[in-house]
Amino acid sequence: MASLGSSIRSAARATFFAYRRVPVRWRLGGGSAALTFVILTGFAGVVGVLTDQQITDQFSSQMDLATQYLHGLMRPVYTASSQLNCAGVDLPSFAGADNAQVRVFSDAGVLLCTQAPSDTAGVSGDSVPKGVPSFTMPTARGVYDQDGYRLSAVRIQWKPNGHGWLVYARPLDSINDTISRLKLFLGLGVFGGAILALLAGLLVAQRAMRPVSELTDVTREIERTRDPTLRLPHFDADDEVSELARTLEGMLAALDSARTESDAALSRQREFVADASHELRTPLTSVLANLELLADELDGEQAESAKSALRATRRMRRLVADLLLLARADIERRQPLRSIDMAARLTDAAAELGPVSAQHILTIAPQVTRLDGIGDDLHRMILNLLENAIRHTPPGTRIQARTGVEGGRPVLVVEDDGPGIPTELQARVFERFVRGGGDAGGSRGTGLGLAIVSAVADAHGATVEMVSLPSLQGTRFKITFPPAGSQANRAAQPDDADEADQTSTTTGSTIGRRRSLS
């Protein structure tokens, strides 16, 4: 069971975090209102106590003066009927002005005189008629409260030899009403002052936060446009906000300089990679030719060594070609476009993969599909899509590829019924050097295949759509190209049009043999 101290700390921490989530202007306005409320509450409390005391003392003083004045006016005497006549003052008129009560008691506690009708005189204090306040006989001179009245009592005597008590009483309702109205006004003043302080605090906070809002708007625009050269607002006041603006401007200038240097370095690096990859193609071609010659001429272990070196060199040539293609895409080095038939490129790529696709069922449907593009790059894109399907699906998987026109736009579709791409990799499959795990050949590849597909599609203004449902329907890539130009549309069909029009359903090795025979 948690201790009381830990519970208090947890509650305080939660309150602190909740307070931190409140906007700054509301914190400033609320703090101003809370401080004003505390100050006004204390002030109202002091004023209320002092005023209450002052009103009460003044009321008591008025009671005492009225009692003394009444005492001086009264000349009570016994009448012939042994009744007390409170001569010298008209008690009903004297008492009616303030709704007061006047009592004259004997020492025995008998009510002798009152401002009420005369038939009440001579009865005991507890026998006062209904509606007339009944007060007990006082025992000492002074002011005290009884039955909702404030009483002032003095000793009085009458002729020939009598003594008793004069009691003057006024209801406390009047003074209580005054004090209640005073407290109401003080409370309204406190709450009204707090509300005014809140509004004033919000207004002041809004005006104070306006420069920060302007800075926020500009920095948000910089975030949206990624342009650190945008100027930040400058303020006349030399305060903390102005210092913040100057600091941010200096930071953006430094970031812009660093980005410029980084972009320049990356541009030089991409140029170097593109140039180096291009220059490496010639010596690699020479090395391949020599290794192929040696593999045909040598026997035994020497021939196996030459063939192993030939395979490694071919992989190196392919990697260099991939790097060259990506480097050209990075530096936006464009090559001239010409009219290309995607059907022929699909057939060539399927034939090239014949030896490695023998364990898969490769189905192609090459329909004449002309577009403006780069033949080698398009061939590489199709080859990578087919090789990706072969590499990452188990033997016996069906792989289908087709070209065609949908809605006036050339399309290329490659799909398989394999296990699909893992969900955690689907968002990154087109990134460079992202590999999807093991495959049938025991090689994980370079991780550039789908990155090249994306780069070639971007270079041709095409869009790539991928749908992959692991363990259900396999993977489907659909690439949609922009329509070919008017000159390409009027161009004659290529020499391999007859071959492109056919639909083939067989294994990859059979396609390779057909292409070799042709």
Side-chain angles (χ1 to χ4, degrees):
M1 183 176 179
S3 63
L4 179 60
S6 62
S7 300
I8 294 176
R9 287 192 297 271
S10 300
R13 191 179 301 111
T15 303
F16 174 75
F17 286 126
Y19 173 77
R20 292 292 299 272
R21 287 193 292 267
V22 177
V24 174
R25 63 190 187 95
W26 279 101
R27 277 189 272 169
L28 292 176
S32 174
L35 181 60
T36 303
F37 179 80
V38 171
I39 294 175
L40 290 180
T41 301
F43 177 77
V46 174
V47 171
V49 171
L50 294 178
T51 306
D52 187 357
Q53 185 65 36
Q54 180 67 24
I55 293 174
T56 302
D57 292 344
Q58 185 176 1
F59 185 74
S60 299
S61 299
Q62 291 177 355
M63 290 281 299
D64 188 62
L65 290 175
T67 304
Q68 296 297 331
Y69 179 72
L70 179 60
H71 183 207
L73 292 178
M74 291 185 65
R75 296 291 183 269
V77 295
Y78 268 113
T79 63
S81 57
S82 299
Q83 298 236 343
L84 187 66
N85 182 12
C86 296
V89 61
D90 185 4
L91 292 181
S93 300
F94 185 87
D98 297 321
N99 196 23
Q101 298 290 328
V102 179
R103 301 284 190 273
V104 178
F105 292 95
S106 67
D107 287 336
V110 177
L111 178 61
L112 301 177
C113 286
T114 180
Q115 87 286 353
S118 59
D119 58 354
T120 62
V123 299
S124 61
D126 58 355
S127 301
V128 177
K130 184 177 180 180
V132 179
S134 176
F135 305 122
T136 60
M137 187 189 70
T139 59
R141 181 185 180 187
V143 178
Y144 56 95
D145 296 337
Q146 184 179 345
D147 296 335
Y149 281 77
R150 177 151 294 181
L151 283 67
S152 176
V154 294
R155 291 285 292 174
I156 190 173
Q157 67 180 35
W158 52 82
K159 297 179 180 180
N161 189 21
H163 294 84
W165 293 93
L166 170 63
V167 177
Y168 177 75
R170 287 178 59 183
L172 292 173
D173 293 343
S174 59
I175 184 175
N176 290 337
D177 291 342
T178 302
I179 294 175
S180 297
R181 286 194 298 270
L182 173 65
K183 292 180 179 179
L184 176 62
F185 292 150
L186 290 176
L188 292 177
V190 169
F191 284 104
I195 293 175
L196 291 177
L198 174 62
L199 297 178
L202 290 176
L203 179 61
V204 173
Q206 184 177 4
R207 292 176 61 89
M209 296 297 294
R210 187 176 301 165
V212 179
S213 300
E214 295 178 7
L215 288 177
T216 302
D217 293 338
V218 176
T219 52
R220 187 178 290 116
E221 182 67 15
I222 293 174
E223 178 187 9
R224 186 184 66 83
T225 61
R226 296 189 176 184
D227 183 10
T229 61
L230 292 177
R231 296 286 295 175
L232 294 176
H234 292 270
F235 308 103
D236 297 333
D238 188 12
D239 54 8
E240 292 82 357
V241 178
S242 299
E243 181 66 22
L244 175 62
R246 290 191 292 269
T247 303
L248 288 175
E249 196 167 47
M251 180 190 70
L252 290 174
L255 290 176
D256 184 40
S257 177
R259 190 182 71 169
T260 302
E261 295 177 0
S262 299
D263 290 343
L266 287 174
S267 179
R268 291 192 297 269
Q269 181 181 2
R270 290 166 180 165
E271 291 280 355
F272 169 76
V273 172
D275 295 338
S277 300
H278 180 75
E279 294 298 329
L280 284 173
R281 297 177 68 181
T282 301
L284 280 176
T285 302
S286 177
V287 171
L288 279 173
N290 292 327
L291 288 175
E292 289 174 354
L293 180 61
L294 287 175
D296 292 338
E297 296 293 334
L298 298 176
D299 297 325
E301 295 182 358
Q302 294 180 343
E304 291 297 327
S305 299
K307 291 178 181 179
S308 177
L310 179 61
R311 289 191 296 270
T313 306
R314 284 173 177 168
R315 288 195 297 270
M316 183 181 296
R317 182 181 64 175
R318 181 175 177 178
L319 179 59
V320 169
D322 292 343
L323 293 176
L324 177 60
L325 191 152
L326 292 174
R328 285 174 175 172
D330 288 340
I331 62 176
E332 298 182 353
R333 185 180 293 178
R334 303 298 184 184
Q335 294 180 277
L337 305 179
R338 63 186 183 89
S339 179
I340 302 295
D341 182 12
M342 285 286 292
R345 295 296 181 268
L346 175 59
T347 305
D348 291 341
E352 184 176 339
L353 292 175
V356 298
S357 62
Q359 296 181 345
H360 293 72
I361 302 175
L362 179 59
T363 302
I364 62 173
Q367 299 180 3
V368 174
T369 306
R370 305 202 68 83
L371 55 87
D372 296 335
I374 305 169
D376 291 341
D377 291 352
L378 293 174
H379 175 82
R380 188 69 183 148
M381 179 182 68
I382 300 173
L383 192 68
N384 282 0
L385 286 173
L386 294 175
E387 188 177 25
N388 184 74
I390 294 171
R391 183 185 299 273
H392 297 287
T393 57
T397 301
R398 292 182 177 274
I399 302 173
Q400 300 176 354
R402 62 180 176 86
T403 59
V405 179
E406 296 180 2
R409 298 169 67 91
V411 296
L412 167 68
V413 179
V414 177
E415 54 189 349
D416 62 71
D417 58 0
I421 300 174
T423 305
E424 63 273 10
L425 289 179
Q426 291 184 14
R428 303 178 57 236
V429 292
F430 294 107
E431 297 179 8
R432 300 177 186 181
F433 305 108
V434 174
R435 300 172 180 176
D439 49 73
S443 172
R444 292 167 56 88
T446 61
L448 297 177
L450 293 181
I452 291 176
V453 171
S454 178
V456 173
D458 291 341
H460 288 77
T463 58
V464 182
E465 300 178 20
M466 183 198 72
V467 178
S468 182
L469 302 175
S471 304
L472 186 59
Q473 296 179 356
T475 304
R476 181 174 184 265
F477 290 92
K478 180 180 179 181
I479 304 177
T480 305
F481 295 87
S486 57
Q487 294 181 355
N489 290 334
R490 292 194 298 267
Q493 291 184 344
D495 295 336
D496 57 352
D498 295 337
E499 180 184 15
D501 289 336
Q502 67 184 355
T503 300
S504 175
T505 304
T506 182
T507 61
S509 58
T510 305
I511 294 176
R513 289 196 297 272
R514 288 182 179 177
R515 293 295 296 171
S516 299
L517 292 175
S518 64

